[in-house]
Amino acid sequence: MADQPEPHTALHDQPFPELLGHACQAVISADGQWIAVSSVMHRSSRVAVYRAADLSCAHLLTFTMEAESIAFHPTLPLLAVGLDNYDEYCREGGLTLLEADTGHRVDFTDPAWGIEPVRWLDDHTLQLTFFALADGVDGLMARASVVRENWRGLAPDALDLTALDRTAHDPEDPRAYDDIPPPQPLLRTLAERAGRSYDGRGGVRTVAGLRDGRVLATRRDVAVECWAADGSALWSVPAPSASGGTRIEVAADERTVRVAAAGPDARARTDFLLVDTADGTVLDQHSVPFSAAMSARTDGVWAIRDTYNRSIETEPPTPPNTRIFAADGKRIGSVHEPDRYDLVPLDARRCPELLYGRRGRDVVALAPDGAAETVLFTVDAPLGRVVYASDATGTALLHGQSELVRRAFPSGEVLWSRPLQSAVFDLDVHAGVLHALCADGSLVSVDAADGAVLHRRPLPPYQPVSLHAAPDGTILVGTTAGQILRYPAVHAPTGTAGRDAVGAASDFR
């Protein structure tokens, strides 16, 4: 098994993918050879350092705090990173120094104060601004300067942040913070100089491959987009909000795709679009005045469930919270549950039935008209992500959260289970091979017949979130960074790969 990410091709292959589409601040070293960019999420962050010559990533620093401020030394390729956990009651922070050319890194911590602006005043002086909240209400700010003749090769004990002589500072003083320009214009310019493009749009939530090699995907601001097999963009349907598309269901003939997309206020609107895969024409749009999630059968029947958390005591009765439609969009059934959480759709892929969980224990198949349900089997814990398979071993549900499991369908008998070292983000199956996208950044492929591990791929640090096995077996991985990674198929051992029966009719009724 490889220790390094394997070679792959990528769609939307833009520079700076390590930033996950969340660039916050960009700075360039004095010699122009290094670019540092921060990417801040809630209570976590990354700082990536790139070589200016080719925009390759030289260093990727990850933190469980927010790196609000970064600054290069006036003459050295030395980057200072200020860290703050932003906790109102248990404040802490730190300072990280990284030598871009040598990779030498040293971390200093402060158990009671966060560090926000960091500034190099001259070749020898680094100014730090400390911030805390007294009793979670009143802001406290102080400044300290560290003077050193040589900032190279510092040891872990070279600096004690808690012992610095600090001067109280008014937190309302606007001079406390630098006017930091948005990083996107600079990153676009740097990309253009390297002959590339950068739009900063990430967030590929779902991805699907078609038989002719085209790839469909959703991303931020986009309901659905289409890429040619050669990597060129073909068409794109804008989304009604920055959230973009949340789910796509491709018709069996691949001529259309049904897309769910949140409205400008996700609580008050969800759109369900039917899109022509040839050119992106929107053929039909069904909207509901609440947040809703979509599920579907392989014959094109699809359903939506109201997911808005209303208060039963203060609001009037709601319409049916599960609505069922034919492939053409005609409503054919509905279900209303007094307690909406008694009947919850399973996130089941490639399944010929609408599968739901009843009271968190029973797995049921819901009839298209919603008038009847068949209890299939009972479980002790949620199934997690689910994919249906029909192969030489029989029909089955393959599912996983912290382990991979194969259950006979429709009986639910566990045929095998394989523990994993990480949680499962997404699953798909093709030609007798089950692929699992894991939270530790790996792609694990196992024999669907017996669970034997066939391959494990470490993925690039682009935060993979979605997975699809294309009809030719190509494995597609959608990432938060915006790239769609393509890996070659993994084949089951000779004699175990079953027939590809996706869309076959269920035989349990």
Side-chain angles (χ1 to χ4, degrees):
M1 294 184 184
D3 294 324
Q4 298 295 324
E6 293 186 359
H8 62 272
T9 58
L11 305 175
H12 195 255
D13 187 18
Q14 298 194 352
F16 318 118
E18 294 80 7
L19 305 177
L20 307 180
H22 296 289
C24 296
Q25 183 183 0
V27 293
I28 301 177
S29 63
D31 59 10
Q33 296 186 29
W34 306 97
I35 307 160
V37 193
S38 64
S39 174
V40 180
M41 287 70 74
H42 178 62
R43 301 290 173 88
S44 66
S45 57
R46 293 179 166 195
V47 175
V49 179
Y50 299 93
R51 301 175 184 89
D54 59 5
L55 304 186
S56 61
C57 185
H59 310 285
L60 179 61
L61 313 183
T62 59
F63 303 98
T64 56
M65 300 183 188
E66 298 186 17
E68 285 288 351
S69 179
I70 58 176
F72 267 117
H73 186 277
T75 58
L76 301 173
L78 174 65
L79 181 71
V81 180
L83 301 169
D84 192 338
N85 74 348
Y86 283 90
D87 191 290
E88 295 180 357
Y89 299 99
C90 299
R91 200 72 167 221
E92 63 178 303
L95 169 69
T96 292
L97 298 174
L98 173 73
E99 297 178 26
D101 53 351
T102 67
H104 178 73
R105 170 181 173 174
V106 61
D107 300 279
F108 308 103
T109 62
D110 190 307
W113 294 72
I115 297 179
E116 296 191 9
V118 293
R119 296 188 184 93
W120 292 98
L121 302 184
D122 54 46
D123 288 3
H124 306 295
T125 309
L126 177 63
Q127 183 188 77
L128 306 175
T129 302
F130 296 84
F131 190 82
L133 288 175
D135 301 323
V137 178
D138 298 322
L140 301 176
M141 181 177 287
R143 277 185 171 164
S145 294
V146 184
V147 180
R148 295 187 65 91
E149 287 297 317
N150 184 11
W151 282 95
R152 285 276 198 175
L154 296 188
D157 60 353
L159 179 60
D160 182 357
L161 297 180
T162 64
L164 295 179
D165 184 15
R166 305 179 189 183
T167 301
H169 189 81
D170 182 359
E172 299 300 325
D173 185 347
R175 293 173 298 174
Y177 298 92
D178 291 324
D179 185 13
I180 299 174
Q184 283 76 13
L186 173 59
L187 297 180
R188 282 196 293 268
T189 298
L190 294 171
E192 290 170 1
R193 289 177 183 173
R196 304 178 67 183
S197 62
Y198 175 74
D199 58 27
R201 292 190 299 118
V204 177
R205 184 174 294 187
T206 58
V207 62
L210 304 182
R211 284 187 285 268
D212 61 6
R214 288 180 297 158
V215 176
L216 303 177
T218 71
R219 76 173 64 245
R220 194 165 62 221
D221 296 311
V222 174
V224 62
E225 64 188 13
C226 184
W227 297 82
D230 64 4
S232 58
L234 296 177
W235 52 259
S236 176
V237 177
S241 73
S243 297
T246 58
R247 181 156 182 166
I248 55 179
E249 293 289 346
V250 181
D253 61 9
E254 297 189 350
R255 293 182 178 179
T256 59
V257 58
R258 180 75 62 177
V259 184
D265 182 346
R267 300 167 300 176
R269 175 180 149 195
T270 308
D271 294 342
F272 297 92
L273 311 176
L274 184 65
V275 178
D276 190 326
T277 58
D279 57 10
T281 300
V282 177
L283 304 175
D284 179 56
Q285 177 172 327
H286 179 83
S287 299
V288 293
F290 47 79
S291 61
M294 179 174 70
S295 56
R297 307 194 325 178
T298 49
D299 63 359
V301 171
W302 56 286
I304 64 173
R305 175 179 180 264
D306 179 357
T307 58
Y308 184 49
N309 187 19
R310 294 176 174 83
S311 170
I312 297 176
E313 292 79 11
T314 60
E315 297 194 21
T318 61
N321 49 47
T322 296
R323 305 178 183 185
I324 307 172
F325 302 85
D328 61 4
K330 180 182 178 181
R331 185 166 166 178
I332 56 178
S334 62
V335 180
H336 178 69
E337 291 291 329
D339 183 347
R340 294 181 306 122
Y341 299 100
D342 271 357
L343 189 66
V344 178
L346 300 183
D347 192 0
R349 171 179 281 169
R350 303 183 186 272
C351 190
E353 302 295 337
L354 291 175
L355 297 185
Y356 285 73
R358 166 68 75 181
R359 290 181 293 275
R361 291 181 55 83
D362 294 336
V363 174
V364 305
L366 193 64
D369 61 4
E373 61 185 50
T374 302
V375 178
L376 305 182
F377 55 89
T378 300
V379 294
D380 296 325
L383 298 183
R385 301 307 294 265
V386 181
V387 60
Y388 172 88
S390 179
D391 53 33
T393 308
T395 56
L397 292 182
L398 300 156
H399 64 90
Q401 289 199 102
S402 59
E403 63 179 355
L404 298 178
V405 180
R406 179 178 178 121
R407 292 178 182 268
F409 187 83
S411 70
E413 176 190 1
V414 175
L415 302 178
W416 58 256
S417 64
R418 172 166 292 280
L420 295 176
Q421 298 177 347
S422 177
V424 175
F425 276 169
D426 206 355
L427 289 175
D428 204 3
V429 67
H430 179 270
V433 179
L434 174 65
H435 306 288
L437 185 64
C438 299
D440 64 0
S442 65
L443 176 60
V444 178
S445 301
V446 306
D447 191 332
D450 58 13
V453 175
L454 303 176
H455 197 69
R456 181 184 183 278
R457 288 181 170 97
L459 302 177
Y462 306 158
Q463 203 171 87
V465 292
S466 57
L467 171 72
H468 187 259
D472 66 355
T474 298
I475 306 167
L476 303 170
V477 178
T479 69
T480 301
Q483 290 194 351
I484 302 170
L485 310 180
R486 297 189 291 190
Y487 292 92
V490 176
H491 300 288
T494 303
T496 65
R499 61 186 177 89
D500 186 359
V502 172
S506 172
D507 59 1
F508 76 88
R509 290 195 180 281

